Amino acid sequence: MKYSKEDIQKLDKRFRANFVNSLSGFKSLNLVGTTDGETYNLSIFNSVFHLGADPALLGMISRPNSVKRDTIEIIRRTGFYTLNAVCEEIYMKAHHTSARIEGSEFNHCSLKHEIKKNFTAPFVEESSLKIAMKFIREIPIIENNTIMIIGEIQEVYFDEVAIDKSGYLHLEKLNILTGVSLEGYYKPELLSRLKYAKADKEIEKI
Amino acid sequence: MKYSKEDIQKLDKRFRANFVNSLSGFKSLNLVGTTDGETYNLSIFNSVFHLGADPALLGMISRPNSVKRDTIEIIRRTGFYTLNAVCEEIYMKAHHTSARIEGSEFNHCSLKHEIKKNFTAPFVEESSLKIAMKFIREIPIIENNTIMIIGEIQEVYFDEVAIDKSGYLHLEKLNILTGVSLEGYYKPELLSRLKYAKADKEIEKI
């Protein structure tokens, strides 16, 4: 079936949000941890993406006028945050952080905060892949009043069974999930890893 | 185990690229179709992300100095491109488009181009989710010389069995895959869809 731009504009607002949010494909799922020095905040983001390996940069998109505003304001003010991959063991608790919660989402959603040496922002103890991030810059997306946050990776923590000798991290060995729209949670199964592609060669599995 | 920023900087270049590319989590996989009026070009992107539902906007990241430069130059010049989700049936062919190919990647990788009425850029016939896109703007990411492309959804095509009455698109019914780094291809299995979260209520499945 076909939806045109005009069809999409005429849709009921919730239907449209769910539909358009499904179109970009499977999404990464991360819990963003911050603190203002008093409260430990936690908020689920499905828009973290790779920006570059050297320097090691990640981007993420935020709506300034949403529930998530606290997170962005604290990132701006303190300069630091954590990314904690959503794994199978905690995905329902992770989803709960999207609610309008007074006080610490860690407490409210029964997730443990973890403080590491020389880093102020809190990690999620139960997460299997934790990244300490330094805020670099934000870029306004004027078309819809969202902002893109650029951050630099400071530290990465995970179980060593997940890393391959080539540097590849088997996210499936860390039970990490992927999402669709704002409500679908999926467990990915590895089909194959493919070797670097060359024009005149058949594609080979690793 | 722990990798610090300094550890990451000291890594072998290929190891670092594979490692850091794994850290953002599971990625969407799309084939970007373009034409300069002569050749039909196709190129795999693992960086398409949701920007907003109204207007319906998608972003993607590109390296201006990579193999993919043709795609970006044609998008700038013509103003249009297509996004075609990578599904299980074509993932090895899709991976092949990342090679340095002379002439049309459609021909070289045995994928069929499909031209729809009133839209110049070519779709991938075999893809189960096809989106016609209009180029809106590009944003330079000065930190690493990449660019972010913002585009607006013009038309969307998929089999109607995949859409729920709420607007949710079951990407698993379209056999759409997700990726890790530049080499891992995964098939996601639906764990559950979760209802909109409220602070004072338990999380419920849909």
Side-chain angles (χ1 to χ4, degrees), chain B residues 35-167:
Chain B
T35 184
D36 57 5
E38 293 195 351
T39 307
Y40 294 126
N41 298 296
L42 195 62
S43 169
I44 191 167
F45 274 68
N46 61 11
S47 64
V48 172
F49 54 90
H50 175 80
L51 264 181
D54 188 23
L57 300 177
L58 297 172
M60 63 187 193
I61 305 294
S62 175
R63 307 192 160 275
N65 301 321
S66 78
V67 184
K68 305 287 170 292
R69 190 171 43 186
D70 281 1
T71 298
I72 301 306
E73 281 176 6
I74 297 174
I75 289 174
R76 281 184 188 129
R77 191 147 26 99
T78 65
F80 294 99
Y81 56 107
T82 66
L83 295 175
N84 307 269
V86 174
C87 47
E88 190 173 2
E89 294 78 1
I90 57 169
Y91 80 97
M92 290 180 74
K93 293 177 179 181
H95 186 73
H96 209 169
T97 66
S98 64
R100 290 175 189 271
I101 290 166
E102 292 288 321
S104 171
E105 290 86 3
F106 280 96
N107 293 341
H108 196 98
C109 305
S110 305
L111 288 162
K112 291 190 192 117
H113 71 265
E114 179 184 349
I115 300 299
K116 296 198 187 272
K117 208 176 156 188
N118 300 327
F119 199 77
T120 51
F123 295 86
V124 177
E125 193 184 286
E126 297 91 335
S127 173
S128 55
L129 174 59
K130 308 171 199 186
I131 309 176
M133 298 292 298
K134 180 184 174 186
F135 173 56
I136 299 293
R137 183 164 69 102
E138 66 183 287
I139 298 175
I141 313 288
I142 51 172
E143 284 77 4
N144 64 356
N145 201 27
T146 54
I147 54 173
M148 173 176 160
I149 300 282
I150 299 177
E152 188 187 30
I153 295 173
Q154 306 295 298
E155 289 170 356
V156 185
Y157 299 89
F158 56 92
D159 190 319
E160 63 184 322
V161 299
I163 195 163
D164 182 87
K165 62 186 190 305
S166 69

Side-chain angles (χ1 to χ4, degrees), chain A residues 105-159:
Chain A
E105 291 85 3
F106 280 96
N107 293 341
H108 195 99
C109 305
S110 305
L111 289 162
K112 292 190 193 117
H113 71 263
E114 179 184 350
I115 301 298
K116 295 198 188 272
K117 208 177 156 188
N118 301 326
F119 199 77
T120 53
F123 296 86
V124 177
E125 193 185 287
E126 297 91 335
S127 172
S128 55
L129 175 60
K130 307 171 199 184
I131 310 176
M133 297 291 299
K134 180 184 174 187
F135 174 56
I136 299 292
R137 183 164 70 103
E138 65 182 287
I139 298 175
I141 313 288
I142 51 173
E143 284 77 4
N144 64 356
N145 201 28
T146 54
I147 54 172
M148 174 175 160
I149 300 282
I150 300 178
E152 188 187 28
I153 295 172
Q154 305 295 298
E155 289 170 357
V156 185
Y157 299 89
F158 57 91
D159 190 319

Side-chain angles (χ1 to χ4, degrees), chain A residues 34-51:
Chain A
T34 54
T35 185
D36 58 3
E38 293 195 351
T39 307
Y40 294 126
N41 298 296
L42 196 62
S43 170
I44 191 166
F45 274 69
N46 60 11
S47 63
V48 172
F49 54 90
H50 175 81
L51 264 181

